[in-house]
Amino acid sequence: MKERLRILLVGNGGREHALAWKLSQSPRTDQIFVVPGNGGTASGLPKVVNVDKVRPDDFAALVAFARQHQVNLVIPGPEAPLVAGIEEHFRATGIRCFGPTKAAARMEGSKTFAKDFMRRHKIPTAAYENFDRYDPARAYLDSVHHAVVIKASGLAAGKGVILPSSTAEAHAALRDIMLDREFGAAGDEVVIEELLEGEELSILAFSDGYTIRALPPAQDHKRIHDGDQGPNTGGMGCYAPTKVASQALLDNIHATILQPTIDGMRKEAFPFVGMLFTGLMLTGTGPKVLEYNVRFGDPETQTLLPLLSADTDLADVLVSCVEHWLDAVPLAVDPGYVATVVVAAGGYPGAYRKGVDIKLNPVPKDTTLFHAGTTGVSGSLQTAGGRVMAASAKAATLEEAVKQAYLGVKSIGFEDMYYRSDIAHRAFALQKALGSEPMTYASAGVSIDAGNVLVEKIKSAVRSTRRSGADAEIGGFGGTFDLERAGYSTLPVLIGAIDGVGTKLKVAHAMGKHETVGIDLVAMNVNDLVVQGAEALFFLDCYSCSKLDVENAAAFVQGVADGCRQAGCALVGGETAEMPGLYAGSDYDAAGAAVGAVARDAILPKTESMVSGDVLVGLASNGVHSNGFSLVRKIIERQGLSYDASCPWDETTTVGLSLLTPTRIYVKPLLEVARHGWVKGMSHITGGGLIENIPRMLPKTLAAEVDVSRWPVPPVFAWLKKAGNVGSPEFARAFNTGLGMVIVVSHLHLPQVTATLERAGERVFEIGRLVDRTGEGCILKNLESWG
């Protein structure tokens, strides 16, 4: 049975009325105390009472009230108490608080802190500079040639963001903030950033410090007048979901902004628990963060909560965040739209009257009035703030939701009331524009021109892989290979291999370095050919993405060409698949296929010639190669390391660059020893490690007895084993442990094999022998040497 909840809700705006409205519907909610509340929370909601005897900024008194009334969940609505550290007061007494710590609340409390955080974690945002002195800030304004936004760094009730239309206005705003102290201490520091152009978007997302789950995207209307004119306000209206954000775009925002934000905060030791409200601009170069807020938005909350499905219990969601099990709680959204129109007092956001009587008439179906600046006085309802009320309406279409919301506004009456008449105008303008725009392949997200540019960029790299039998020219319908020109006078056996790189691509993406994973792709295939005795003849690749980044793709193919040259095979063709919506952001996947040839009597392994006593020879790997990266990435994350951090196992480089060391290509030296007839079998040590790969080359009557003390464990593996507390059997199964290839030779040929491989630059180790099989196919000895 779920714990019953007695909730303390701190705040008095429309956001708090909406939260009380939704939380009162929870079957596990017994009581909601609102401090101080407003006219909407004072009456008409079951389980909800206002408390005006405790000030919302008196944290000690709030704690005392909570303990006296057995409160077990606290929800601070506004940003001010969160920035001031209300969460730690309740945490110290063992009372759950839905909201971030004081340290995490700096993401809203200090715009300079938030911008620097974004820079550290490579989260896309506008170019900017921070200033705490007037003269350098003034000089910077004179030095830039682009439009700017000036932001007071601290809390300014949503009004500390100035969008000047000229240099003169920018200087006036800077003086107002830094010299005339228009926003008080909030203006001790300012951020001056590039003005971004595009559509604005608000994403409100629940977080438990690890998981982040977003509500539908919303679009606020900040300016006071129609057409987005006039000064900024706290918000004059909102609608959701927006029509400017496709699912592919939302996936990109989650992958490149929301999750990196939550991960970055946790790694910097101030994990975020609560509602992360991210303001975004959809620019021509992708979504960029305008600002973070650390609480429910207003009026976004009044818009989004009505979209929650009837079986989504908001109380459950809030508790799951505080207790860190958000990934397990049901959270669903109804189809349709909600539009919200805010009704303000005349004169807002400047001077306005309070105490004006409000008259309310019956509200249309599927429309809810949320109170903000209202209060009850002697039995009547009066205005008590700039934004007075909001009408939120839910409907199947956005057009109908907006129409219903304005009908809801007509049920509100007070002297000098003001509201915008164009809520959702940008959505309707976009809908009209899209409806008349001719459709093209490019408008669907596929750029044929970008593909052509890529082909031209990689032609020379591809051409550099030509060999006898193939010209390595691309641009046709298929690649050709002439076996006779390659020197095969009798028909050989053809052998094919296909493979990918796996999640090592995540590291390449994080580091912005794509050449080495191209080498990996070739290596994984040609090494699989050579263990069968085959010479790699030609290679084909496939690069798949949602939006083609020509530079990234070209770097990747350069790496593929490098790998082909190392292996002696021709790159005869490839596929670049641009598939909008399939991948997040600039992520991509890669696969490759290689075809090789071998004389029929030279195919490996020669299991019939293997005998007990044959020698196992190991060839050193270059590092992790391309397998085990899901575990590697988890260990790196657990240790709180970023990929650009100094490498703990190699102080000369970074974590990411070390991990991107490409898979070693063993083809040419192994072909040389194989052609002498000295090799009975070979095993490429990939996924499954020593334990699963060595038995693949053996007859069922023989097993490999491997002495793991016979080769040095590379520092990267020693660190991974210790940092991940990886047991030795799992270590041998997940990683190559320092050996990329194992071969079987007779003890009679061991000297020649060793000399030939070492002459070719390989590091060679005698690691064991074949024995009669009585159980497992690979027996590891001296595991204690791994520590």
Side-chain angles (χ1 to χ4, degrees), residues 523-534 604-607 610 615-621 625 627 663-667 670 673-674 679-699 703-704 706 732 735-745 757 762 765 767 770 777-778:
M524 296 302 290
N525 283 279
V526 297
N527 285 342
D528 281 353
L529 292 182
V530 76
V531 299
Q532 298 172 84
L604 295 176
K606 296 186 177 299
T607 55
M610 293 182 187
V615 180
L616 292 167
V617 174
L619 277 64
S621 67
H625 284 183
N627 293 100
T663 305
R664 191 171 185 84
I665 294 175
Y666 300 95
V667 171
L670 286 181
V673 294
V679 177
K680 297 184 179 184
M682 304 186 203
S683 178
H684 183 199
I685 309 304
T686 59
L690 301 169
I691 292 174
E692 295 186 16
N693 284 291
I694 294 178
R696 294 168 67 181
M697 65 172 168
L698 303 179
V706 178
F735 301 125
N736 67 56
T737 71
L739 299 180
M741 194 71 72
V742 173
I743 64 177
V744 177
V745 301
L757 293 175
E762 301 296 336
F765 307 98
I767 65 169
L770 298 187
C778 183

Side-chain angles (χ1 to χ4, degrees), residues 364-590:
K365 180 184 177 183
D366 293 326
T367 303
T368 305
L369 298 185
F370 292 115
H371 293 233
T374 69
T375 188
V377 178
S378 301
S380 66
L381 189 66
Q382 295 184 351
T383 65
R387 291 187 296 168
V388 178
M389 300 187 79
S392 293
K394 184 178 181 180
T397 67
L398 179 58
E399 291 83 356
E400 187 61 26
V402 171
K403 179 181 177 180
Q404 285 294 109
Y406 278 108
L407 288 176
V409 167
K410 293 184 183 299
S411 67
I412 305 168
F414 61 90
E415 188 178 350
D416 291 332
M417 62 182 272
Y418 175 82
Y419 56 91
R420 282 181 57 161
S421 62
D422 66 344
I423 299 305
H425 72 98
R426 285 169 286 178
F428 297 139
L430 178 65
Q431 183 174 304
K432 183 177 180 181
L434 290 177
S436 59
E437 180 183 353
M439 296 298 291
T440 66
Y441 210 13
S443 71
V446 178
S447 174
I448 295 174
D449 292 338
N452 292 335
V453 170
L454 174 62
V455 169
E456 291 304 315
K457 273 185 168 288
I458 64 177
K459 272 187 174 179
S460 61
V462 173
R463 193 176 295 119
S464 72
T465 70
R466 65 176 59 182
R467 54 156 290 166
S468 57
D471 291 330
E473 292 289 344
I474 57 173
F477 290 102
T480 61
F481 193 93
D482 188 328
L483 287 170
E484 187 175 351
R485 281 178 51 204
Y488 289 91
S489 55
T490 59
L491 200 61
V493 174
L494 295 181
I495 298 177
I498 187 167
D499 210 336
V501 180
T503 59
K504 189 174 184 178
L505 290 173
K506 287 284 191 181
V507 184
H509 188 70
M511 295 300 293
K513 183 176 177 60
H514 307 279
E515 301 89 343
T516 59
V517 286
I519 299 173
D520 285 311
L521 184 64
V522 176
M524 296 302 290
N525 283 279
V526 297
N527 285 342
D528 281 353
L529 292 182
V530 76
V531 299
Q532 298 172 84
E535 170 195 16
L537 301 178
F538 60 87
F539 190 81
L540 303 106
D541 65 18
C542 178
Y543 181 98
S544 303
C545 58
S546 281
K547 182 173 179 57
L548 180 61
D549 185 315
V550 173
E551 296 303 321
N552 287 357
F556 177 81
V557 177
Q558 293 278 357
V560 171
D562 187 0
C564 287
R565 289 192 297 270
Q566 292 182 43
C569 65
L571 178 55
V572 298
E575 164 72 357
T576 303
E578 190 173 19
M579 298 174 284
L582 192 60
Y583 299 91
S586 57
D587 283 359
Y588 63 89
D589 196 8

Side-chain angles (χ1 to χ4, degrees), residues 605-679:
K606 296 186 177 299
T607 55
E608 71 283 354
S609 68
M610 293 182 187
V611 296
S612 180
D614 280 344
V615 180
L616 292 167
V617 174
L619 277 64
S621 67
N622 281 350
V624 183
H625 284 183
S626 297
N627 293 100
F629 267 85
S630 294
L631 178 56
V632 169
R633 290 168 48 239
K634 185 63 70 175
I635 294 171
I636 296 295
E637 179 183 344
R638 179 187 289 182
Q639 292 298 310
L641 290 173
S642 63
Y643 291 117
D644 56 6
S646 179
C647 183
W649 60 84
D650 181 358
E651 62 184 13
T652 66
T653 188
T654 64
V655 170
L657 290 178
S658 176
L659 292 174
L660 286 175
T661 302
T663 305
R664 191 171 185 84
I665 294 175
Y666 300 95
V667 171
K668 291 179 179 179
L670 286 181
L671 280 178
E672 183 176 353
V673 294
R675 284 167 178 161
H676 281 95
W678 298 334
V679 177

Side-chain angles (χ1 to χ4, degrees), residues 267-319:
K267 289 173 182 177
E268 292 196 15
F270 52 94
F272 186 89
V273 172
M275 173 60 71
L276 182 68
F277 170 178
T278 307
L280 300 157
M281 183 71 79
L282 306 183
T283 74
T285 57
K288 295 185 178 181
V289 176
L290 295 173
E291 64 178 359
Y292 293 114
N293 296 310
V294 297
R295 35 70 190 183
F296 287 94
D298 188 338
E300 289 87 354
T301 304
Q302 298 93 299
T303 304
L304 291 168
L305 292 187
L307 281 170
L308 291 180
S309 66
D311 58 353
T312 294
D313 189 330
L314 180 61
D316 276 352
V317 176
L318 302 188
V319 170

